[in-house]
Amino acid sequence: MKKYSQKNWKTLKIACLLGVLYGGYQIYHSEGRITATACESFGIVILMALIILFVVNKYYREKEDL
């Protein structure tokens, strides 16, 4: 798999943030209000985005030379 450069890493972080915001909006819109189920679903969306960022950072990101 191709390594993520610094520019691609920033783009991935922005994409994950937008995905989390959109997921939160869709969850809120489907529930009609903030409920316990909506909070759990939003937590799962955040957890999935953090796992994606962690795995890419650990294994697929180009390391900068110091």
Side-chain angles (χ1 to χ4, degrees):
M1 184 174 199
K2 183 181 175 186
K3 295 282 186 180
Y4 281 80
S5 66
Q6 185 66 22
K7 179 182 176 186
N8 291 341
W9 172 247
K10 289 179 182 178
T11 304
L12 180 66
K13 288 193 307 188
I14 292 170
C16 282
L17 176 64
L18 290 175
V20 166
L21 291 175
Y22 183 71
Y25 170 75
Q26 288 295 331
I27 291 168
Y28 179 77
H29 183 69
S30 69
E31 292 287 324
R33 58 190 170 99
I34 298 174
T35 62
T37 305
C39 289
E40 290 173 6
S41 300
F42 190 61
I44 291 170
V45 169
I46 291 173
L47 183 64
M48 288 179 3
L50 289 175
I51 288 171
I52 289 170
L53 290 174
F54 174 76
V55 169
V56 168
N57 188 36
K58 181 108 174 134
Y59 299 109
Y60 298 110
R61 187 171 168 211
E62 290 178 354
K63 302 300 179 191
E64 297 178 15
D65 296 328
L66 297 175

